[in-house]
Amino acid sequence: MSKATRMTKQKRVILDILRSTQNHPSADWVYEQAKKIVPDISLGTVYRNLNVLRDSGEIIELNYGSTYSRYDGRNENHYHFYCEKCSKLVDVSIPVYEGLDKMVQDTTGFEVRHHRMEFYGLCNECKEMKAKRA
Amino acid sequence: MSKATRMTKQKRVILDILRSTQNHPSADWVYEQAKKIVPDISLGTVYRNLNVLRDSGEIIELNYGSTYSRYDGRNENHYHFYCEKCSKLVDVSIPVYEGLDKMVQDTTGFEVRHHRMEFYGLCNECKEMKAKRA
DNA sequence: CTAGGTGCAAACCGTTTGCAACGGG
DNA sequence: CCCGTTGCAAACGGTTTGCACCTAG
């Protein structure tokens, strides 16, 4: 049924890059890194593979708070913090409330599969800069 | 300090449209509605006003789960459900956990101002269609 | 072998913006 | 009046896609 999928060196490299960074990089950043290993890789290929990996659940696409998507190599659910000043995006290590899905499912009748939560504000660096300026 | 702002009839109409719908429309939908009242309004003006209203906190921009933004005329925090099949976006009426902001603030040290939560899955219509198909 | 993947570059499309005219306060 | 706002249309920028070639299995 589902289409066969090949492990090309491009896809391998892209996945490795995402798995080995704590950041939540843009497609373009991944492209720049990937070029160091596969010099003639194209940006289109990076996008295609990011979509394939996202569809197969191996990575998460984070597409809020900005005009472009960021990607996260972890695929277990977790929450994020987005700095409204410098656009930094970091993982938040509070437990994921799995029970929320069930609660919303019971409230709405919808089939709830997962949820996302993002916190917004100022990271430490931007908080300090603001304090200094005052 | 902050720039003076004028209440033009375009802005008035856009805000009225958003306040009087339960949907979470795209800029284009707002534009189509606004044209019925101000026939020569331009799409650029709709975008400009949506940004102004968002910046002043009168509406919320919802920019996840799709390639384009949706807008919400309510400005008190609340959660959303996004149907992964038909892209419908609806309000979820479970209480907002204000305490989470403080918890994350204490955990991370960041200045947490607000958070967002979205649930993903299938709405009733798409759930039934899936059941029928099986 | 062969069908899925790739590089390239053009197309796409939601959103932004430069500019001259307009109009709210 | 003055300057923020508008209509128009072109530009922008991140992402997608058509095509001919390539390569993993």
Side-chain angles (χ1 to χ4, degrees):
Chain A
M1 196 77 247
S2 70
K3 221 171 285 186
T5 196
R6 275 179 204 168
M7 181 50 69
T8 61
K9 70 170 173 303
Q10 289 87 342
K11 189 192 291 184
R12 173 84 268 144
V13 164
I14 290 168
L15 191 51
D16 283 349
I17 289 170
L18 282 174
R19 292 258 195 266
S20 62
T21 179
Q22 297 282 9
N23 301 322
H24 299 76
S26 64
D28 206 67
W29 187 89
V30 173
Y31 172 55
E32 291 304 325
Q33 300 306 307
K35 270 200 291 195
K36 295 177 184 171
I37 303 165
V38 187
D40 62 351
I41 195 172
S42 77
L43 184 55
T45 293
V46 171
Y47 274 107
R48 272 186 293 236
N49 277 309
L50 288 172
N51 287 346
V52 166
L53 292 168
R54 181 241 293 132
D55 291 345
S56 67
E58 297 184 77
I59 65 173
I60 296 173
E61 179 180 2
L62 306 168
N63 52 358
Y64 35 73
S66 189
T67 51
Y68 54 90
S69 286
R70 315 272 193 103
Y71 296 87
D72 191 325
R74 293 173 62 193
N75 54 7
E76 335 83 71
N77 193 9
H78 59 283
Y79 303 145
H80 293 98
F81 175 87
Y82 177 80
C83 177
E84 294 178 324
K85 186 102 180 299
C86 71
S87 302
K88 193 184 304 166
L89 194 53
V90 300
D91 292 339
V92 170
S93 56
I94 64 171
V96 170
Y97 292 71
E98 303 285 5
L100 283 175
D101 292 345
K102 179 116 194 352
M103 182 199 285
V104 172
Q105 181 149 330
D106 292 345
T107 307
T108 61
F110 300 161
E111 177 181 324
V112 179
R113 292 170 171 170
H114 56 104
H115 69 271
R116 285 197 192 168
M117 181 146 54
E118 311 90 44
F119 296 86
Y120 297 84
L122 295 182
C123 70
N124 283 326
E125 289 74 12
C126 293
K127 204 174 63 175
E128 279 165 28
M129 270 179 46
K130 182 187 157 199
K132 224 179 288 180
R133 194 155 30 80
Chain B
M1 194 80 245
S2 68
K3 221 173 287 186
T5 196
R6 274 176 206 169
M7 180 51 68
T8 62
K9 71 170 174 300
Q10 290 88 341
K11 189 192 289 183
R12 172 84 268 144
V13 163
I14 289 168
L15 191 51
D16 283 348
I17 289 170
L18 282 174
R19 291 258 196 266
S20 62
T21 179
Q22 297 282 8
N23 301 321
H24 299 77
S26 64
D28 205 67
W29 187 87
V30 172
Y31 172 54
E32 291 304 325
Q33 301 305 308
K35 270 200 290 193
K36 295 177 184 173
I37 302 164
V38 187
D40 62 350
I41 195 173
S42 76
L43 184 54
T45 293
V46 171
Y47 274 106
R48 272 186 292 234
N49 277 309
L50 288 172
N51 288 346
V52 167
L53 292 167
R54 182 241 293 134
D55 291 344
S56 67
E58 296 184 77
I59 65 173
I60 296 173
E61 179 179 3
L62 306 168
N63 52 357
Y64 36 73
S66 191
T67 50
Y68 54 91
S69 285
R70 315 272 192 104
Y71 296 87
D72 191 325
R74 295 171 61 192
N75 55 7
E76 337 82 70
N77 193 8
H78 59 282
Y79 303 145
H80 293 97
F81 175 88
Y82 177 80
C83 178
E84 294 179 324
K85 186 102 179 300
C86 71
S87 301
K88 193 183 303 167
L89 195 53
V90 300
D91 292 340
V92 170
S93 55
I94 64 172
V96 170
Y97 292 71
E98 304 284 5
L100 283 175
D101 292 346
K102 178 118 195 351
M103 182 197 285
V104 172
Q105 181 149 331
D106 293 345
T107 307
T108 61
F110 299 160
E111 176 180 325
V112 179
R113 292 170 171 170
H114 55 105
H115 69 271
R116 283 198 192 167
M117 182 148 50
E118 312 89 43
F119 295 87
Y120 296 84
L122 296 182
C123 70
N124 284 326
E125 289 74 14
C126 293
K127 204 173 63 175
E128 279 165 29
M129 270 180 45
K130 182 187 159 199
K132 224 180 287 180
R133 195 156 29 82

